Amino acid sequence: MKTTLAIVALAIAAMMQTAQAQDVAAGEQSFRKCFPCHAIGEGAKNKVGPELNGLDGRHSGSAPGYQYSDANKNSGIVWGEETFEKYIKDPRGNIPGTKMIFPGIKNEKEIHNLWGYLKQFGPDGKKK
């Protein structure tokens, strides 16, 4: 009985890891929409938009060396899954006056996958 439970638990854990990896892989594909303006990972630099390392838990308007709009600096947003998922649907509608001209991503699953990809990078650009 214990052996059976252990095997089932290992199988479930393996399936969850596979599903999570697939979500991150899909998020990485979605990031191609962001890549013209944003960078992420080791050595990422600000571009037209700020680098996105350490986004999870970061205050909006705080990436070093990037010249944010006053609207973004004063938005009071702390990035997390909920704030990101709301924002990325309509950036200009969520922070009126932002410099970000991206029309947004409307597909919930794509947004969720994209967040899964972004949140894996720490402030130093290394994957957590």
Side-chain angles (χ1 to χ4, degrees):
M1 180 74 167
K2 288 182 182 179
T3 303
T4 303
L5 288 176
I7 291 171
V8 170
L10 287 172
I12 290 171
M15 286 187 298
M16 290 177 66
Q17 287 179 339
T18 300
Q20 184 179 22
Q22 290 170 338
D23 290 345
V24 170
E28 184 174 12
Q29 292 298 312
S30 295
F31 186 73
R32 290 180 179 185
K33 295 177 180 179
C34 312
F35 185 74
C37 298
H38 296 279
I40 197 163
E42 293 184 62
K45 304 280 186 223
N46 293 325
K47 295 167 119 177
V48 172
E51 54 85 9
L52 300 177
N53 289 330
L55 189 61
D56 191 16
R58 186 167 92 186
H59 289 264
S60 181
S62 66
Y66 185 76
Q67 297 298 313
Y68 287 94
S69 65
D70 286 339
N72 204 297
K73 288 188 285 190
N74 298 323
S75 70
I77 290 175
V78 176
W79 296 113
E81 186 168 5
E82 186 177 315
T83 53
F84 175 79
E85 289 183 359
K86 179 181 177 192
Y87 173 79
I88 202 63
K89 289 178 185 175
D90 182 14
R92 293 190 136 192
N94 284 290
I95 301 181
T98 186
K99 296 190 295 187
M100 188 163 160
I101 59 171
F102 185 68
I105 298 173
K106 309 303 185 215
N107 181 288
E108 296 281 339
K109 185 174 181 179
E110 182 179 2
I111 293 168
H112 182 74
N113 292 340
L114 178 57
W115 179 252
Y117 175 71
L118 296 174
K119 74 177 183 179
Q120 70 179 338
F121 293 93
D124 60 359
K126 293 181 180 177
K127 290 184 179 181
K128 298 176 188 176

